Amino acid sequence: MANNTHLRVGCAAGFSGDRTDAALPVVQALIASGQPSVLIFETLAERTLALAQLARRTDPDSGYEPLLADLLRPVLGLCLAHGVRIVSNFGAANPHGAARRIQALAAELGLARPRIAVLQGDDLSGPAHRALLQDALGSAMPTEPIVSANAYIGAQAIADALRAGADIVVCGRVADPSLVLGPALAHYGWALDDWDRLARATMAGHLLECGAQVTGGYFADPGYKDVPGLAQLGYPIAEIDADGHCTITKPPGTGGRIDERTVKEQLLYELHDPAAYLTPDVVADITRARVQAVGTDAVRLTGVQGHAQPPTLKVNVCFESGWFAEGEISYAGPRAQARARLAGEVLRERLAGLGPLRIDLIGVTSIFGDDTSRWLDAPASDSNSNSGDGRDDVRDVRLRVALQHRDHASAQRLVREVTALYTCGPAGGGGVRTAMRPRLGTVSCLVPRDAVAVRFEMVD
């Protein structure tokens, strides 16, 4: 049934590892509005999903967002008491595990058992989908063991779960904007081919999906783009009307800012084609969009148009790709850069034959260098000397060296060699840190939409 009451959607996380104290002001503002409201947490990325699959290999009960309980504990009771629905992709590689953890948290807090829906269908990593992936990837199909294969599914199953009465919808790999479009579909009852409305709510989701980026976090640049109260940054809320247009605000009394510039920056963020932003639900076109301030920390987005959804779904496939080793060591005082450069030369000679090293002087060459470390062959006067006249006046520099190798023992040699620089390298090195971790490779493909069976189920 169509509903003409505006829907408010607040976002309290933009990635895995985001602040865990952001949700309470958002929920309080949603409740105070008196309007139908949904709280979303966007905590998933390609890398975090693959890491979640690795975690689940070690512990079958893990594989969901590690901060799940910390994110929900401050607001779960309030949301359940006031009818604020929760939708999130914090299920990652184990949505059922996340649902069980939420049930346990509710019991710990003395709350009534919430109705939790779990979305299924995005995980294509099993043997049953191997032929589908092979057809889609062809010669790019990994020969190494596959860690994860997940399709970007859309908003329809989220809407169905909310219509079925779910208090909380736990997702794995859904497209980020679908976390907002799903509640809008459920609230307004739009047709699934109402492309303009779907596109408008999708772009509302795009503005919310990165959390505090749209309220000034990623925007801040002192003296050029000043943002007040960054330490107490407010997270965004979108008020979505019956036509899908939205107004972006934030909780009163919080830091940050929302103006036309912050919204425009986020609107264009990761947008490969403003005329054709591809999602599983719709192709959004913002070439005629209008961004207009309508009050203090309130910006309205209108004019988004939509086109028919793509016939395929994107799938990311992550696979085992050997080992990644890295080490860092600092040099300070006179001739610091020269000593750090010498340490890099020592490592390159000692580790010759293992493959290319990535060697950086953090603060000198780490951003403008490249993976070949060609800067190491140039004299210091040609390598970002601060003075511009050939003097090495960098007084504090940190050397970082990294290596990728399929063999664990070979990669570990880098760790040992960096540590040995304490006494074997140039004078005054200190603060060594090293790390070894499995390396994951990624390939992407498109599969037919009807090859991915998406559904939800209520957790008993």
Side-chain angles (χ1 to χ4, degrees), residues 30-288:
L30 293 176
I31 294 170
S33 74
Q35 299 182 58
S37 298
V38 174
L39 177 69
I40 70 165
F41 296 88
E42 200 290 284
T43 64
L44 199 58
E46 292 77 12
R47 176 177 177 273
T48 49
L49 182 52
L51 293 176
Q53 290 283 12
L54 289 174
R56 194 177 184 187
R57 285 184 177 185
T58 303
D59 177 5
D61 291 328
S62 67
Y64 54 83
E65 168 54 44
L67 294 176
L68 172 60
D70 294 324
L71 290 166
L72 285 181
R73 185 175 284 108
V75 297
L76 182 58
L78 278 173
C79 289
L80 294 176
H82 293 274
V84 177
R85 309 282 191 93
I86 298 172
V87 179
S88 179
N89 54 18
F90 44 40
N94 190 1
H96 277 96
R100 290 191 293 270
R101 182 65 185 97
I102 296 169
Q103 288 176 327
L105 177 63
E108 292 169 19
L109 298 174
L111 304 174
R113 192 178 181 89
R115 298 195 71 197
I116 303 175
V118 172
L119 260 61
Q120 300 284 293
D122 66 292
D123 191 345
L124 307 182
S125 57
H129 299 101
R130 201 53 50 91
L132 175 67
L133 297 178
Q134 180 67 68
D135 288 344
L137 286 167
S139 61
M141 181 73 174
T143 56
E144 300 85 352
I146 290 177
V147 174
S148 65
N150 293 83
Y152 286 72
I153 61 178
Q156 183 178 351
I158 296 174
D160 292 343
L162 292 171
R163 292 189 189 109
D167 300 310
I168 302 170
V169 181
V170 177
C171 311
R173 178 70 283 176
V174 298
D176 298 346
S178 300
L179 297 172
V180 174
L181 176 58
L185 280 172
H187 182 74
Y188 287 115
W190 297 328
L192 293 176
D193 61 354
D194 192 343
W195 304 124
D196 284 346
R197 288 187 172 90
L198 267 60
R200 292 164 190 160
T202 290
M203 297 316 296
H206 179 69
L207 290 175
L208 294 190
E209 69 185 56
C210 293
Q213 282 193 187
V214 76
T215 60
Y218 200 70
F219 178 86
D221 190 350
Y224 179 58
K225 297 184 297 182
D226 291 312
V227 177
L230 207 60
Q232 304 299 327
L233 201 56
Y235 281 52
I237 297 170
E239 182 177 295
I240 303 172
D241 67 22
D243 286 321
H245 304 301
C246 70
T247 299
I248 305 297
T249 63
K250 65 182 184 69
T254 60
R257 63 186 290 179
I258 297 177
D259 60 22
E260 293 178 1
R261 293 193 299 165
T262 69
V263 170
K264 288 177 181 178
E265 282 199 10
Q266 180 59 29
L267 193 63
L268 294 173
Y269 180 72
E270 293 183 340
L271 209 67
H272 69 289
D273 182 353
Y277 177 45
L278 305 178
T279 80
D281 304 299
V282 66
V283 177
D285 179 352
I286 67 166
T287 55
R288 299 182 182 179

